PDB file of all heavy atoms in Angstrom:
ATOM      1  N   ASP A  80      -4.597  -2.562  45.096  1.00 97.00           N
ATOM      2  CA  ASP A  80      -3.853  -2.757  46.328  1.00 97.00           C
ATOM      3  C   ASP A  80      -4.846  -2.567  47.483  1.00 97.00           C
ATOM      4  O   ASP A  80      -5.518  -1.605  47.602  1.00 97.00           O
ATOM      5  CB  ASP A  80      -2.753  -1.697  46.382  1.00 97.00           C
ATOM      6  CG  ASP A  80      -1.697  -1.839  45.302  1.00 97.00           C
ATOM      7  OD1 ASP A  80      -1.020  -2.969  45.435  1.00 97.00           O
ATOM      8  OD2 ASP A  80      -1.586  -1.086  44.444  1.00 97.00           O
ATOM      9  N   LYS A  81      -4.840  -3.616  48.336  1.00 97.00           N
ATOM     10  CA  LYS A  81      -5.721  -3.567  49.535  1.00 97.00           C
ATOM     11  C   LYS A  81      -5.188  -2.613  50.534  1.00 97.00           C
ATOM     12  O   LYS A  81      -4.242  -2.963  51.288  1.00 97.00           O
ATOM     13  CB  LYS A  81      -5.865  -4.945  50.108  1.00 97.00           C
ATOM     14  CG  LYS A  81      -7.101  -5.179  50.910  1.00 97.00           C
ATOM     15  CD  LYS A  81      -7.228  -6.701  51.161  1.00 97.00           C
ATOM     16  CE  LYS A  81      -8.424  -7.082  51.956  1.00 97.00           C
ATOM     17  NZ  LYS A  81      -9.083  -6.199  52.866  1.00 97.00           N
ATOM     18  N   LEU A  82      -5.568  -1.364  50.491  1.00 98.00           N
ATOM     19  CA  LEU A  82      -5.073  -0.314  51.360  1.00 98.00           C
ATOM     20  C   LEU A  82      -6.151   0.436  52.030  1.00 98.00           C
ATOM     21  O   LEU A  82      -7.249   0.512  51.512  1.00 98.00           O
ATOM     22  CB  LEU A  82      -4.216   0.701  50.451  1.00 98.00           C
ATOM     23  CG  LEU A  82      -3.038   0.192  49.630  1.00 98.00           C
ATOM     24  CD1 LEU A  82      -2.549   1.269  48.711  1.00 98.00           C
ATOM     25  CD2 LEU A  82      -1.995  -0.273  50.660  1.00 98.00           C
ATOM     26  N   SER A  83      -5.807   0.972  53.156  1.00 97.00           N
ATOM     27  CA  SER A  83      -6.705   1.852  53.840  1.00 97.00           C
ATOM     28  C   SER A  83      -6.059   3.220  54.112  1.00 97.00           C
ATOM     29  O   SER A  83      -5.077   3.276  54.857  1.00 97.00           O
ATOM     30  CB  SER A  83      -7.137   1.205  55.167  1.00 97.00           C
ATOM     31  OG  SER A  83      -7.937   2.078  55.897  1.00 97.00           O
ATOM     32  N   ILE A  84      -6.489   4.213  53.410  1.00 98.00           N
ATOM     33  CA  ILE A  84      -5.815   5.548  53.434  1.00 98.00           C
ATOM     34  C   ILE A  84      -6.835   6.486  54.138  1.00 98.00           C
ATOM     35  O   ILE A  84      -7.899   6.611  53.764  1.00 98.00           O
ATOM     36  CB  ILE A  84      -5.437   6.089  52.036  1.00 98.00           C
ATOM     37  CG1 ILE A  84      -4.511   5.024  51.433  1.00 98.00           C
ATOM     38  CG2 ILE A  84      -4.852   7.452  52.130  1.00 98.00           C
ATOM     39  CD1 ILE A  84      -4.082   5.316  49.919  1.00 98.00           C
ATOM     40  N   LYS A  85      -6.197   7.228  55.086  1.00 98.00           N
ATOM     41  CA  LYS A  85      -7.065   8.282  55.773  1.00 98.00           C
ATOM     42  C   LYS A  85      -6.918   9.553  55.025  1.00 98.00           C
ATOM     43  O   LYS A  85      -5.806  10.020  54.755  1.00 98.00           O
ATOM     44  CB  LYS A  85      -6.565   8.438  57.230  1.00 98.00           C
ATOM     45  CG  LYS A  85      -6.751   7.277  58.062  1.00 98.00           C
ATOM     46  CD  LYS A  85      -6.176   7.536  59.454  1.00 98.00           C
ATOM     47  CE  LYS A  85      -6.345   6.326  60.319  1.00 98.00           C
ATOM     48  NZ  LYS A  85      -5.515   6.308  61.542  1.00 98.00           N
ATOM     49  N   LEU A  86      -8.055  10.195  54.686  1.00 98.00           N
ATOM     50  CA  LEU A  86      -8.012  11.563  54.053  1.00 98.00           C
ATOM     51  C   LEU A  86      -8.551  12.577  54.977  1.00 98.00           C
ATOM     52  O   LEU A  86      -9.752  12.386  55.461  1.00 98.00           O
ATOM     53  CB  LEU A  86      -8.817  11.492  52.743  1.00 98.00           C
ATOM     54  CG  LEU A  86      -8.702  12.778  51.893  1.00 98.00           C
ATOM     55  CD1 LEU A  86      -8.610  12.447  50.369  1.00 98.00           C
ATOM     56  CD2 LEU A  86      -9.789  13.745  52.182  1.00 98.00           C
ATOM     57  N   TYR A  87      -7.814  13.607  55.299  1.00 97.00           N
ATOM     58  CA  TYR A  87      -8.226  14.619  56.211  1.00 97.00           C
ATOM     59  C   TYR A  87      -8.464  15.958  55.426  1.00 97.00           C
ATOM     60  O   TYR A  87      -7.689  16.313  54.623  1.00 97.00           O
ATOM     61  CB  TYR A  87      -7.158  14.902  57.254  1.00 97.00           C
ATOM     62  CG  TYR A  87      -6.806  13.745  58.130  1.00 97.00           C
ATOM     63  CD1 TYR A  87      -5.795  12.850  57.754  1.00 97.00           C
ATOM     64  CD2 TYR A  87      -7.420  13.538  59.345  1.00 97.00           C
ATOM     65  CE1 TYR A  87      -5.392  11.779  58.587  1.00 97.00           C
ATOM     66  CE2 TYR A  87      -7.079  12.430  60.192  1.00 97.00           C
ATOM     67  CZ  TYR A  87      -6.057  11.578  59.718  1.00 97.00           C
ATOM     68  OH  TYR A  87      -5.735  10.545  60.564  1.00 97.00           O
ATOM     69  N   GLY A  88      -9.588  16.645  55.812  1.00 97.00           N
ATOM     70  CA  GLY A  88      -9.783  17.960  55.223  1.00 97.00           C
ATOM     71  C   GLY A  88     -10.966  18.607  55.844  1.00 97.00           C
ATOM     72  O   GLY A  88     -11.653  18.013  56.796  1.00 97.00           O
ATOM     73  N   SER A  89     -11.272  19.798  55.482  1.00 97.00           N
ATOM     74  CA  SER A  89     -12.433  20.565  55.881  1.00 97.00           C
ATOM     75  C   SER A  89     -13.642  19.817  55.533  1.00 97.00           C
ATOM     76  O   SER A  89     -13.683  18.941  54.578  1.00 97.00           O
ATOM     77  CB  SER A  89     -12.459  21.986  55.417  1.00 97.00           C
ATOM     78  OG  SER A  89     -12.664  21.958  54.023  1.00 97.00           O
ATOM     79  N   GLU A  90     -14.837  20.225  56.098  1.00 97.00           N
ATOM     80  CA  GLU A  90     -16.079  19.588  55.634  1.00 97.00           C
ATOM     81  C   GLU A  90     -16.308  19.744  54.127  1.00 97.00           C
ATOM     82  O   GLU A  90     -16.689  18.847  53.407  1.00 97.00           O
ATOM     83  CB  GLU A  90     -17.254  20.285  56.409  1.00 97.00           C
ATOM     84  CG  GLU A  90     -18.583  19.611  56.158  1.00 97.00           C
ATOM     85  CD  GLU A  90     -19.653  20.168  57.072  1.00 97.00           C
ATOM     86  OE1 GLU A  90     -19.367  21.125  57.826  1.00 97.00           O
ATOM     87  OE2 GLU A  90     -20.782  19.672  57.003  1.00 97.00           O
ATOM     88  N   GLU A  91     -16.005  20.961  53.684  1.00 97.00           N
ATOM     89  CA  GLU A  91     -16.188  21.253  52.247  1.00 97.00           C
ATOM     90  C   GLU A  91     -15.216  20.374  51.419  1.00 97.00           C
ATOM     91  O   GLU A  91     -15.625  19.740  50.405  1.00 97.00           O
ATOM     92  CB  GLU A  91     -15.822  22.731  51.963  1.00 97.00           C
ATOM     93  CG  GLU A  91     -16.072  23.116  50.540  1.00 97.00           C
ATOM     94  CD  GLU A  91     -15.060  24.170  50.001  1.00 97.00           C
ATOM     95  OE1 GLU A  91     -14.202  24.660  50.794  1.00 97.00           O
ATOM     96  OE2 GLU A  91     -15.138  24.491  48.813  1.00 97.00           O
ATOM     97  N   ALA A  92     -13.999  20.196  51.900  1.00 98.00           N
ATOM     98  CA  ALA A  92     -13.015  19.369  51.168  1.00 98.00           C
ATOM     99  C   ALA A  92     -13.394  17.957  51.153  1.00 98.00           C
ATOM    100  O   ALA A  92     -13.298  17.268  50.078  1.00 98.00           O
ATOM    101  CB  ALA A  92     -11.580  19.558  51.740  1.00 98.00           C
ATOM    102  N   ILE A  93     -13.928  17.454  52.235  1.00 98.00           N
ATOM    103  CA  ILE A  93     -14.375  16.016  52.288  1.00 98.00           C
ATOM    104  C   ILE A  93     -15.522  15.798  51.287  1.00 98.00           C
ATOM    105  O   ILE A  93     -15.520  14.841  50.534  1.00 98.00           O
ATOM    106  CB  ILE A  93     -14.768  15.614  53.711  1.00 98.00           C
ATOM    107  CG1 ILE A  93     -13.620  15.792  54.729  1.00 98.00           C
ATOM    108  CG2 ILE A  93     -15.475  14.248  53.771  1.00 98.00           C
ATOM    109  CD1 ILE A  93     -12.467  14.846  54.410  1.00 98.00           C
TER     110      ILE A  93
END
Side-chain angles (χ1 to χ4, degrees):
D80 294 294
K81 203 168 180 335
L82 298 171
S83 176
I84 299 175
K85 295 175 180 166
L86 186 145
Y87 299 91
S89 68
E90 185 171 7
E91 185 214 358
I93 297 296

